């Protein structure tokens, strides 16, 4: 094919007269343009590094300082207090550019000015870091801001008034503090009190006191030492031991999913929707590389750490026998695509030019129209990333198979094409979407995103972009490299760009005309022996058993949303969390250890902390509700106490005063030192039978939600953390709607996701009735 030849720059044939070289001018042109583009990126990164390195200063401010010094000097005013003269005397004489006194004087003033400028930048940064270490504003009541906080906010605005790039604030963010051991243990005991009877609590209290007096001081010293040395005393250990050293399947147990807009549809053309989405993602990657994305700011002034964004693209989790590793490339110019059991490589650029959405649509349509069958062993190959031939250590089995069958030849070349791709794309043959008239539709959509058919997602990639036959999209995301808000930021940009900037023709295709001379997608070639095929089949069977055991119930709660919750004078998150406690007690007749994820991104390289949502205050409210004999005013008072307690715990977690990350790190230090701690061993083995997470609806405001109220994402979800527990993700999507994703396991006789979902709905309604909040008609 003519277009295929354009992808080959050099061709040669051997003749009797020697070797005859033939050069493709078009291909050489693309190579030249690609090189130019690569150098442009390098220069941009160098420039960004300089601008980021001197923030909140700038090259312009340096020039101003130099001009001021020179100006005062010509006015016979020595603002350096003699330092310029000292610098001038230290410069070597009669050497290079120092031959004339005037040149030596100007150079001395430039050196002095640079020193003043650098010192100013350092002082500004340290002052900003000190200001950002203040978190008192989080604990003040809404509408009752203190004078001190107002002055603090003004100072922060003044010091960060320059236009920051994405990573400008990284060096100004404070380090995550190591909490006091006594405070952590006190908060821990307080969190488990409602879950233990008097005898159990006394035993745990005894273990905690023994740990605090004998073992903890030594462990704490090592942790403080690490906090001085490392950027963040938690994050590297959290990534390694919670994620990368995990040997269980990533599918269901670790990876999570994100849904598309569920109430609107831009096009039903699968290739067209994918063309726009992939183009938008690469636009986002370009902005990421150039640091043109604005930092996420709390209150519009407090910057959040953005380091997790660095590994969003070109990243793959590589399996290992003891621990996995995250492989991140500086750049990748293609995506890997899966369709009907075949793997393809699709280039994102033609030379240095990013392919337009219409070009990408054409490329994906070629894959959809390709009638070729899968090669032996190819169809279910990705099951290796989902399960494993050994249920107890599937990551080990995948690492062994990778070494044995994919370390050389065409298998290595094809696997490299997948692992080195910008991201993975799955073209599904099924159609999924949310139909409000079909209650099961949202749950089926969620299950398709969570695990698919167990071999049509590459679960090791940083994320898989999933495209269904009807043009609906979704993501399946690996968890080690980043948390859900980071992926949500990307997804919000993609959906907003697709809908409001790229658009479609009246017939549902991408705008513009395709380039028919583009080289077609490249089919990846495999040579998979029967022994490897047996391992793949075994992995698939284990993954399928895991997927079949997952019960997922996704639903839209339409009675009310954050608008009416705020009339109860509480935070929407606290309202939902207390409702979850009430629902769980009605579902199981008991309370359980509850996990809610909060962020610690106000600190450098911060990730998450746990909020233990089951408190003495929330259990007191639930028990009073269950008795049914309390006055409404009494129930309101108990609810407010529970809500205030929850909000305070959430704020403590966000400000580095949580419980679980501190205990986790103390446990790791004890293992390194070979110290046995019955208290830590028991704490770290406690199961989270109710694991919850809230997903933000909007972070970057790509459009006005009041103008487009139906452009709502449904958030996403994850599998249950405990075999006999629930996983609950929720998105407070607007003034009048909340989306819930409830997961459990069919194999547990104690759980039922739909039953628990119904209890959640009823709990929300019952709490709203306490405050006589009117509900919208369903």
């Amino acid at each position: 094919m003519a277009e295929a030849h354009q992808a080959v720059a050099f061709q040669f044939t051997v003749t009797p007269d020697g070797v005859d070289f033939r050069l493709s001018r078009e291909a050489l042109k693309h190579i030249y343009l690609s090189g130019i583009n690569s150098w442009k990126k390098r220069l941009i990164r160098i420039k960004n590094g300089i601008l980021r390195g001197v923030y909140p200063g700038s090259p312009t401010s340096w020039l101003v300082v130099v001009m001021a010094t020179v100006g005062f000097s010509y006015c016979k005013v020595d603002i350096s207090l003699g330092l310029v003269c000292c610098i001038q005397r230290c410069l070597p004489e009669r050497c290079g550019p120092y031959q004339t006194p005037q040149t030596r004087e100007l150079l001395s003033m430039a050196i002095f000015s640079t020193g003043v400028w650098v010192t100013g930048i350092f002082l500004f940064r340290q002052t900003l870091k000190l200001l950002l270490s203040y978190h008192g504003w989080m604990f003040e009541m809404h509408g009752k801001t203190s004078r001190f906080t107002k002055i603090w906010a003004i100072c922060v605005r003044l010091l960060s008034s320059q236009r920051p790039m994405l990573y400008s604030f990284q060096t100004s963010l404070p380090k995550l503090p190591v909490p006091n051991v006594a405070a952590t243990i006190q908060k821990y005991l307080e969190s488990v009190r409602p879950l233990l009877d008097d005898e159990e609590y006394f035993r745990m209290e005894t273990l905690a006191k023994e740990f605090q007096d004998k073992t903890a001081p030594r462990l704490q010293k090592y942790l403080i030492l690490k906090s001085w040395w490392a950027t963040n005393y938690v994050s590297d250990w959290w990534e390694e031991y919670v994620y990368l050293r995990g040997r269980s399947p990533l599918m269901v147990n670790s990876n999570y999913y994100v849904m598309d807009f569920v109430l609107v549809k831009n096009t039903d053309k699968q290739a067209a929707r994918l063309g726009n989405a992939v183009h938008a993602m690469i636009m986002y990657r370009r902005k990421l590389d150039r640091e043109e994305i604005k930092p996420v700011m709390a209150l519009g002034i407090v910057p959040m750490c953005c380091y997790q964004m660095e590994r969003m693209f070109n990243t793959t989790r590589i399996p290992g026998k003891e621990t996995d590793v995250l492989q991140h490339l500086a750049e990748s110019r293609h995506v890997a695509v899966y369709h009907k059991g075949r793997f393809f490589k699709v280039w994102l650029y033609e030379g240095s030019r990013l392919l337009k959405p219409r070009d990408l649509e054409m490329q994906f349509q070629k894959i959809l129209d390709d009638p070729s069958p899968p090669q032996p062993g190819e169809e279910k190959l990705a099951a290796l990333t989902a399960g494993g031939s050994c249920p107890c250590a599937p990551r080990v089995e995948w690492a062994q198979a990778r070494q044995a069958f994919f370390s050389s030849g065409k298998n290595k070349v094809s696997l490299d094409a997948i692992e080195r791709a910008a991201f993975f794309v799955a073209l599904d043959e099924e159609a999924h979407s949310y139909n409000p008239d079909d209650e099961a539709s949202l749950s089926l959509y969620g299950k398709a995103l969570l695990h698919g058919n167990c071999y049509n997602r590459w679960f090791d990639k940083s994320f898989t972009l999933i495209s269904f036959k009807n043009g609906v999209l979704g993501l399946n995301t690996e968890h080690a490299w980043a948390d859900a808000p980071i992926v949500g930021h990307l997804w919000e940009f993609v959906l907003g760009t697709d809908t409001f900037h790229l658009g479609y023709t009246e017939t549902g295709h991408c705008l513009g005309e395709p380039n028919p001379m583009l080289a077609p997608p490249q089919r990846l070639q495999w040579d998979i022996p029967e022994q490897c095929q047996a391992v793949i089949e075994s992995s698939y069977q284990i993954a399928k058993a895991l997927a079949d055991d997952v019960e997922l119930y996704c639903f839209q709660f339409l009675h009310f949303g954050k608008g009416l919750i705020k009339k109860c004078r509480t935070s929407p998150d606290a309202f939902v969390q207390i409702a979850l406690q009430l629902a769980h007690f009605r579902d199981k007749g008991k309370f359980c250890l509850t996990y809610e994820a909060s962020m610690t991104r106000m600190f450098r390289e911060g990730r998450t902390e746990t909020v233990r949502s089951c408190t003495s205050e929330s259990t007191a409210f639930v028990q009073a509700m269950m008795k049914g004999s309390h006055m409404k005013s009494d129930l309101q008072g108990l609810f407010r106490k529970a809500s205030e307690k929850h909000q305070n715990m959430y704020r403590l977690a966000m400000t580095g005063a949580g419980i679980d990350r501190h205990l986790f790190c103390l446990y790791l230090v004890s293992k390194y030192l070979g110290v046995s701690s019955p208290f830590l061993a028991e704490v770290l083995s406690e199961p989270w039978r109710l694991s919850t997470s809230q997903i933000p609806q909007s972070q970057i405001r790509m459009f006005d939600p009041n103008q487009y109220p139906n452009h709502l994402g449904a958030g996403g979800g994850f599998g249950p953390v405990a075999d006999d527990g629930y996983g609950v993700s929720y998105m407070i999507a607007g003034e009048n709607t909340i989306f819930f994703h409830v997961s459990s396991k069919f194999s547990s006789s104690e759980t039922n996701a739909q039953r628990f979902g119904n209890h959640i709905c009823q709990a929300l309604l019952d709490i709203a009735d306490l405050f006589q909040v009117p509900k919208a008609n369903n």
Side-chain angles (χ1 to χ4, degrees):
M1 296 174 65
E3 59 268 25
H5 287 293
Q6 298 301 326
V8 182
F10 299 96
Q11 302 173 45
F12 64 90
T13 57
V14 179
T15 70
D17 298 324
V19 180
D20 176 28
F21 284 93
R22 288 176 291 166
L23 304 179
S24 167
R25 292 184 179 180
E26 186 66 23
L28 287 174
K29 173 186 173 184
H30 290 319
I31 291 173
Y32 168 76
L33 292 175
S34 178
I36 293 296
N37 189 52
S38 177
W39 277 105
K40 283 182 180 178
K41 285 187 176 180
R42 291 182 187 181
L43 291 174
I44 288 171
R45 285 171 182 161
I46 291 171
K47 182 197 75 172
N48 287 346
I50 294 171
L51 294 177
R52 187 190 337 119
V54 302
Y55 188 86
S58 66
T60 304
S61 63
W62 173 82
L63 188 60
V64 169
V65 175
V66 172
M67 291 177 65
T69 304
V70 173
F72 276 107
S73 175
Y74 279 103
C75 293
K76 307 300 182 183
V77 178
D78 184 11
I79 60 172
S80 72
L81 302 178
L83 283 176
V84 169
C85 294
C86 291
I87 295 170
Q88 191 172 351
R89 285 196 297 270
C90 293
L91 292 177
E93 297 181 5
R94 296 192 180 94
C95 181
Y98 316 127
Q99 293 179 358
T100 66
Q102 292 81 4
T103 303
R104 289 162 57 82
E105 184 180 8
L106 284 173
L107 182 59
S108 302
M109 286 188 283
I111 293 173
F112 166 77
S113 301
T114 302
V116 170
W117 181 65
V118 170
T119 303
I121 290 171
F122 175 79
L123 292 175
F124 268 86
R125 280 187 180 177
Q126 294 305 310
T127 304
L128 184 57
K129 182 180 289 189
L130 185 64
L131 289 169
L132 294 177
S133 299
Y134 168 71
H135 300 118
W137 59 273
M138 291 193 65
F139 296 89
E140 295 180 351
M141 293 182 63
H142 183 68
K144 295 185 178 180
T145 306
S146 67
R147 182 177 297 175
F148 181 85
T149 297
K150 289 178 180 178
I151 295 171
W152 164 83
I154 292 170
C155 292
V156 173
R157 286 186 185 276
L158 288 173
L159 288 176
S160 56
S161 59
Q162 293 278 348
R163 290 185 178 180
M165 296 188 297
L166 179 61
Y167 303 121
S168 290
F169 292 111
Q170 290 299 98
T171 54
S172 298
L173 293 174
K175 287 188 175 184
L176 184 69
V178 180
N180 178 272
V181 171
T184 296
I185 290 177
Q186 180 186 354
K187 283 183 279 191
Y188 168 79
L189 291 172
E190 185 180 332
S191 73
V192 297
R193 185 65 187 95
L195 304 174
L196 305 174
D197 59 31
D198 291 342
E199 184 178 343
E200 292 171 329
Y201 181 75
F202 177 75
R203 185 183 67 85
M204 183 57 73
E205 195 175 35
T206 303
L207 287 176
K209 189 174 188 313
E210 182 183 6
F211 170 74
Q212 180 178 336
D213 294 340
K214 297 181 179 179
T215 312
R218 182 186 177 195
L219 305 182
Q220 180 77 347
K221 287 177 183 176
Y222 281 95
L223 213 54
I224 291 173
L225 180 63
K226 187 194 176 187
S227 74
W228 291 345
W229 177 255
T231 308
N232 188 296
Y233 83 93
V234 175
S235 292
D236 58 338
W237 284 350
W238 186 255
E239 180 179 299
E240 179 179 356
Y241 289 97
V242 172
Y243 294 117
L244 297 180
R245 283 185 179 264
R247 302 292 84 191
S248 59
L250 300 186
M251 187 192 76
V252 174
N253 295 319
S254 180
N255 285 26
Y256 56 94
Y257 66 87
V258 185
M259 287 183 170
D260 198 351
F261 284 144
V262 290
L263 302 180
V264 295
K265 196 172 181 182
N266 296 323
T267 179
D268 59 0
K269 301 259 189 288
Q270 186 177 15
R273 187 79 198 286
L274 197 54
N276 264 5
V278 170
H279 183 82
M281 283 184 166
I282 302 305
M283 286 174 60
Y284 184 93
R285 186 179 70 170
R286 179 183 290 175
K287 287 179 174 290
L288 203 61
D289 289 341
R290 297 177 178 180
E291 301 185 37
E292 294 173 351
I293 297 171
K294 293 180 180 179
V296 177
M297 312 278 273
L299 293 182
I301 59 172
V302 180
M304 301 289 105
C305 180
C306 300
Y307 96 100
Q308 294 178 61
M309 290 181 169
E310 294 175 358
R311 298 180 295 184
M312 185 176 293
F313 296 94
N314 328 327
T315 299
T316 299
R317 180 167 171 163
I318 304 296
K321 293 181 180 180
E322 293 185 1
T323 182
D324 295 352
V325 295
L326 288 173
Q327 172 187 283
H328 173 69
L329 305 176
E331 185 180 7
S332 178
R333 298 174 63 81
H334 72 277
V335 291
V337 182
Y338 180 90
H339 176 247
K340 279 190 175 182
R342 297 90 43 83
F343 290 88
F344 296 84
K345 181 178 182 179
V346 176
W347 293 102
L348 299 169
Y349 294 84
E350 182 190 18
S352 62
R353 183 183 68 85
L354 173 63
L355 293 187
K356 296 178 181 178
R358 189 69 180 88
D359 293 330
L360 290 167
E361 178 188 350
M362 179 186 68
Q363 299 292 68
F364 293 127
Q365 191 61 52
K366 286 179 180 178
I367 294 174
L368 292 171
D369 296 338
D370 188 329
S372 61
Q375 300 160 81
E378 180 182 18
E379 182 179 15
K380 297 180 181 178
L381 175 61
L384 290 169
T385 70
S389 59
C390 176
C392 58
R395 298 300 294 176
V396 176
E397 297 297 323
W398 170 209
Q400 292 172 343
R402 188 175 184 276
Q403 177 64 31
F405 305 113
F406 299 93
S407 58
S408 62
K410 62 174 68 174
N411 287 350
K412 184 180 189 304
V413 172
S414 295
L415 182 62
D416 280 348
I418 295 173
E419 293 182 337
R420 299 174 73 86
F423 50 90
F424 193 79
V425 177
L427 285 164
D428 280 16
E429 285 297 291
E430 297 177 343
H432 284 286
S433 63
Y434 174 43
N435 180 0
D437 297 326
D438 181 7
E439 185 182 39
S441 62
L442 196 62
S443 302
L444 292 173
Y445 176 26
K447 272 187 72 78
L449 294 174
L450 181 63
H451 53 66
N453 61 16
C454 303
Y455 57 79
N456 58 355
R457 318 271 181 261
W458 199 270
F459 293 98
D460 285 355
K461 286 299 291 183
S462 54
F463 63 87
T464 295
L465 174 60
I466 301 160
S467 172
F468 295 106
K469 196 168 186 177
N470 56 350
V472 174
L473 302 176
L475 295 178
N476 182 287
T477 305
E478 201 278 319
H479 209 327
W481 65 274
D483 303 307
I486 303 298
V487 177
H489 195 281
L490 161 71
W491 197 231
E492 187 179 342
F493 177 89
V494 170
L495 296 182
T497 302
D498 167 44
T499 303
F500 298 101
H501 297 280
L502 298 178
Y504 299 88
T505 65
E506 292 181 358
T507 55
H509 292 282
C510 297
L511 299 175
E513 293 294 329
N515 178 6
M517 298 304 295
L518 288 175
Q522 177 186 341
R523 179 78 187 275
L524 300 185
Q525 300 299 312
W526 307 93
D527 183 13
I528 302 175
E530 291 185 2
Q531 186 181 356
C532 182
Q533 293 180 38
V535 175
I536 292 170
E537 182 61 29
S538 177
S539 297
Y540 166 66
Q541 293 300 331
I542 291 171
K544 187 175 185 303
L546 177 60
D548 290 344
D549 194 26
V550 174
E551 180 185 11
L552 187 65
Y553 179 53
C554 306
F555 62 94
Q556 183 182 12
F557 181 81
L558 288 167
H559 296 281
F560 56 84
K562 65 180 178 182
L564 296 183
I565 289 176
K566 289 180 178 178
K567 292 184 178 179
C568 302
R569 289 180 295 169
T570 186
S571 80
D573 181 66
F575 190 99
V576 173
Q577 284 291 328
I578 296 169
L580 289 175
Q581 292 300 315
L582 177 58
H584 188 274
F585 193 86
R586 287 173 173 172
D587 186 80
K588 287 192 173 183
K590 60 184 177 181
F591 299 106
C592 72
L593 196 61
T594 305
Y595 182 110
E596 182 189 7
S598 76
M599 68 166 187
T600 56
R601 288 173 59 204
M602 289 190 295
F603 301 97
R604 192 171 181 183
E605 293 187 13
R607 288 197 62 161
T608 60
E609 176 59 276
T610 305
V611 179
R612 293 174 168 241
S613 301
C614 183
T615 63
S616 296
E617 290 79 1
S618 65
T619 56
F621 167 74
V622 170
Q623 288 167 341
M625 286 285 287
M626 295 301 295
K627 287 180 181 178
S629 58
H630 287 71
M631 297 289 291
K632 186 174 285 190
S633 58
D634 294 335
L635 292 172
Q636 288 178 357
L638 289 170
F639 176 83
R640 294 201 188 284
K641 286 182 180 178
S643 174
E644 289 169 5
K645 176 67 174 180
H646 180 83
Q647 290 180 71
N648 188 60
M649 290 177 61
Y650 201 96
R651 291 162 181 156
L652 287 171
M654 288 184 66
T655 53
I659 302 169
D660 290 274
R661 299 301 179 268
H662 186 202
L663 293 177
F664 163 76
C665 290
L666 289 171
Y667 176 76
L668 281 181
V669 173
S670 74
K671 288 298 181 182
Y672 282 134
L673 297 177
V675 176
S676 176
S677 170
F679 170 72
L680 288 177
E682 189 158 336
V683 169
L684 271 293
S685 65
E686 293 171 339
W688 301 97
R689 290 191 170 88
L690 181 56
S691 181
T692 71
S693 179
Q694 181 187 183
I695 300 175
Q697 171 66 28
S698 177
Q699 298 183 70
I700 54 180
R701 299 283 180 182
M702 291 284 294
F703 58 91
D704 184 359
N706 296 320
Q707 188 177 354
Y708 301 96
N710 289 329
H711 286 68
L712 294 176
F718 50 88
V721 173
D723 290 339
D724 57 349
Y726 291 110
V728 180
S729 175
Y730 54 95
M731 173 179 276
I732 303 172
E735 298 297 313
N736 300 302
T737 188
I738 308 173
F739 286 99
F740 284 92
H741 305 253
V742 183
S743 64
S744 64
K745 291 194 174 182
F746 286 114
S747 56
S748 172
S749 59
E750 297 183 33
T751 57
N752 182 294
Q754 184 163 357
R755 181 185 71 204
F756 188 48
N758 294 336
H759 282 310
I760 292 172
C761 290
Q762 191 59 52
L764 290 168
L765 293 171
D766 290 345
I767 295 175
D769 282 339
L770 292 179
F771 297 90
Q772 297 179 337
V773 177
K775 276 80 68 180
N777 291 328
N778 197 355

